Amino acid sequence: MEDRRNPQVAISQLAHAVRTALAVAVLAGSGSAFAQSAPAAQQSTTSLDTVSVLGSRNQPRSEAESSVPIDIIGVEEFRGQGATDALDQLRVLVPSFNVSTIPIDDAASLVRPANLRGLPPDNTLVLVNGKRFHRSAVITFLGHGLSDGAQGPDLSVFPSLALEQVEVLRDGAAAQYGSDAIAGVINFGLKQSREGGTAEAFAGQFYEGDGFTQQYSAQIGLPLTERGFATLTAEWRKADDTSRSVQRDDAAEAAAAGYPDIPNPAQIWGSPKVKDDLKIIANLGISGEAVDLYLFGNYARREIDGGFYYRTPTSRSGVYSNDGGETLLVGDLTGAGGCPVIPLRDAGGGLLPYAGVGAAVAALPSNCFTFLSVFPGGFTPRFGGELEDRSVVGGLKGTWGDWHWDVSATHGRNQVDFTIYNTVNASLGPNQPAGFRFAPGGNVQTETGVNIDVGRDIDTGFTTQPLSLSAGAEWRKEEFEIRAGDAASTGIGPLTEQGFALGSNGFNGFSPRTAGSFDRANWAVYVDVEARFIEPLLLAAALRYEDFDDFGSTTNGKLTARYDVTDAFALRGAFSTGFRAPTPGQANVSQITTAFAGTGLVDIATLPPTNPIAALKGAQPLTPEDSTNYSAGLVWSSGDWLVTVDGYRIEVEDRIALSSSFELTDAERAALVASGNAEAASLTSVTYFGNAFDTTTTGLDVVASLRTGHFGGTTTYSLAGNWNRTRVDRFNADFVDEARVYKIEESLPRTKGYFSVNHRRDVFHANLRLAYYGSWYEDHVDSAVIRVEDGGLPIYDGSAVIVDAEIGWRFASGLYVNLGAQNLFDKVPVDNPWGASVAGAAYPVHSPYGFNGGFYYARVGWTF
């Protein structure tokens, strides 16, 4: 393929200068010529004594003191990189956390699915200030096997400037926090400030010369009475799209035959365009003599505009041809007849020149219609949407005698309105909406909850320290709404019976028949105790009972233990059971999407398990996933050293996932249409959610850090590594095929980790991070076949090392400047062997470290 680098001269020179400066400064570990240092508080890295609220419902503990593995990421470490999205920032810093670029995967391009410990995104619970955060309205229809059917939270709504720290609990915690906490828990802790502030500008772009990103952030701390604070943070971001594409063979063939207006490349693979990404967070609190008041919330909105599959003018079924590209699909608009057959290929299979085909189209009678007269070069839809997220949490906490208590209420709402344009509803013929733009509808996820938590220490005669008791109750209501699309996106036009596809091509609108709101309520009670029966041994137990109004109740427990062998060395372990309740969205969503199926694009309907079409293919009502977690590890903390090693095993039964595609026969389609399911007319196959399979995930986490006085300043060395393997223990071959199993087991690198050096001296700092990704596998464009000889499109890539570097200065005046490069040496995955022949992607599109290459950036700010 052609050389990837062709940016403008100025951009190339700037990128080279930044890379050179970074490499020299970081490797030299140099100090600074500036004599006056910044305030100490601004220079310090995250302290080893930083505490987390996770892992226990009782007293917060540091990483070294916890009975379960916890990562505590300080805000400086979190923000000290080129990534501006919380998903990518976590991917770099937490080895067991994975997320890819997601260029063309329908709704997954809007809210990217992330995997902690190789499990789906809705197997990880997200908290803000220790309170449950609502999930996204987006359901991942196309999740590359790992995340198919998942409905997780949208982590991209958090501006990093608003964060004090991010805590990642790498252990099951459903007995403490409820549904979803199977892989672990992520807590975003917000800053609390009653004075000062920050203003910042960020800019960067990829070495390729595209993907220019600009971001502007501001924060201010204000007093709220004499004993309170109000911390307000706002961020606005815009990111241009990228393209790592090659021309498709079918597009090149059509262009060679003289078909006009064929773009090169015809299909764009890259990061989608992000417009007007606004994020606002408020965190308020007032401390009283015995009662504290807190109130925090967020508002976020953004618009995404991404690429989609190219519709070739010589073969796209339901639009241009219905016989594999042998003849042109021509519709009779009036029923007058006389529409001729127009061949597209000769007897040898070669594509006929457009001059002859175009002349035949121009000579068609007025009642005859073909889309070749509208889009003679085919068309590539653009897909995206507008997302809006908002939440508010308010509560009171305080003490009453020996008891401490916390009462709170939460409300969160996430809405996505999809858009697709530069496409058609083929069944409508020439009567298309203005600008060929459709509004397919959207989804809304709303969650409301009320919590009460109490606790106290109890003196006993059989423990060396007071027994810690916590208990609480929770009520939650969850609602999922399907909003119908406009008439053009759902319309069943007059050409449907002549073989023209109905609905907005690529992403059909949500039908008014399936639109509506679906909700469920649940309540829970829990108890959590901790005690030391002998001084070195800390034991804890938690029990939670939860009742759902749609599928019944569940009881889960957790046991943890920590034994301090010496003051520096400890052993720890945990056992727990957990669950994940099926969401109202998974139980009721309906959508038609376009996917690649071996030899071409097909329309696949995702239907509720109760839908007659899904029931015809064996769908059953959903039940919860059940999990069992085991973990054991050790901690060594001595002076400036901290080392933790933890092994884990996660068994999940009855995992909820999107089924494989079940093909509809002509007879089944006709019967469904006759029974009132008109949307079945253009469907090739159907999928539905179900309890499909069991898995066992085993792994090992190693984390180490050392703080030194090397290079004339403070230098911290950090090492974090994860080995993770998932095995499918049981699956229904009629529901989940071997290709899906292989993706679940092999798609992610089994080994991932990083080594970093953080150096600070006076006003200068330098960061160097080497990230390692083990080998991995991609089923390109979800061909659903493992082997090439069977028609599969496998891609295997080896291990890779990605280097990130940053240098910066923070002055006493409050001014700070950072220069950096993410993926300093411009590492990209192996070339895609199926690029031109299938869909035009230059690289495998689900690479664990992305495929856009190097990114350089600058950050300038002022604190006051």
Side-chain angles (χ1 to χ4, degrees), residues 493-754:
L495 296 183
T496 302
E497 295 183 357
Q498 299 180 46
F500 286 77
L502 57 87
S504 43
N505 198 268
F507 195 91
N508 283 35
F510 294 107
S511 168
R513 287 165 45 91
T514 58
S517 295
F518 311 91
D519 60 39
R520 67 126 182 268
N522 65 285
W523 60 270
V525 292
Y526 81 89
V527 62
D528 193 325
V529 294
E530 287 186 359
R532 288 187 181 271
F533 293 94
I534 57 175
E535 190 59 34
L537 180 63
L538 175 64
L539 296 174
L543 188 68
R544 185 183 182 97
Y545 174 84
E546 196 143 3
D547 184 81
F548 292 79
D549 64 8
D550 53 355
F551 64 80
S553 61
T554 178
T555 302
N556 295 277
K558 183 171 184 176
L559 298 172
T560 62
R562 176 191 169 101
Y563 187 83
D564 296 320
V565 180
T566 68
D567 289 341
F569 180 71
L571 301 174
R572 63 188 182 188
F575 167 80
S576 65
T577 61
F579 74 104
R580 188 185 75 79
T583 70
Q586 290 171 328
N588 296 282
V589 72
S590 177
Q591 178 56 37
I592 298 174
T593 57
T594 301
F596 185 84
T599 58
L601 300 178
V602 296
D603 291 329
I604 303 174
T606 300
L607 302 173
T610 55
N611 184 281
I613 306 176
L616 181 69
K617 295 300 181 179
Q620 299 291 329
L622 297 177
T623 60
E625 299 175 345
D626 295 315
S627 66
T628 304
N629 289 56
Y630 310 83
S631 67
L634 57 87
V635 181
W636 183 60
S637 177
S638 178
D640 293 320
W641 274 100
L642 174 62
V643 179
T644 66
V645 180
D646 294 277
Y648 57 89
R649 178 183 176 93
I650 308 171
E651 300 172 357
V652 187
E653 296 181 351
D654 296 326
R655 281 182 57 169
I656 298 171
L658 200 59
S659 73
S660 300
S661 298
F662 294 95
E663 187 173 349
L664 287 172
T665 67
D666 292 339
E668 288 171 336
R669 264 190 297 272
L672 289 166
V673 171
S675 62
N677 297 280
E679 62 272 16
S682 66
L683 297 182
T684 304
S685 53
V686 300
T687 65
Y688 53 83
F689 288 99
N691 298 92
F693 55 99
D694 304 339
T695 60
T696 297
T697 298
T698 55
L700 181 71
D701 289 320
V702 178
V703 179
S705 64
L706 171 65
R707 182 174 297 177
T708 72
H710 294 168
F711 310 115
T714 299
T715 303
T716 302
Y717 303 91
S718 299
L719 173 70
N722 170 256
W723 177 84
N724 190 88
R725 183 184 69 184
T726 296
R727 284 286 178 259
V728 176
D729 305 319
R730 176 196 65 83
F731 69 97
N732 184 337
D734 293 331
F735 192 94
V736 176
D737 57 27
E738 290 185 0
R740 172 79 181 279
V741 171
Y742 196 73
K743 285 192 284 187
I744 292 171
E745 295 182 341
E746 304 296 338
S747 290
L748 294 178
R750 290 191 183 174
T751 305
K752 180 187 169 192
Y754 73 85

Side-chain angles (χ1 to χ4, degrees), residues 106-123:
D106 283 359
S109 302
L110 280 66
V111 177
R112 293 182 294 157
N115 309 101
L116 182 64
R117 289 185 162 179
L119 294 175
D122 48 12
N123 278 197

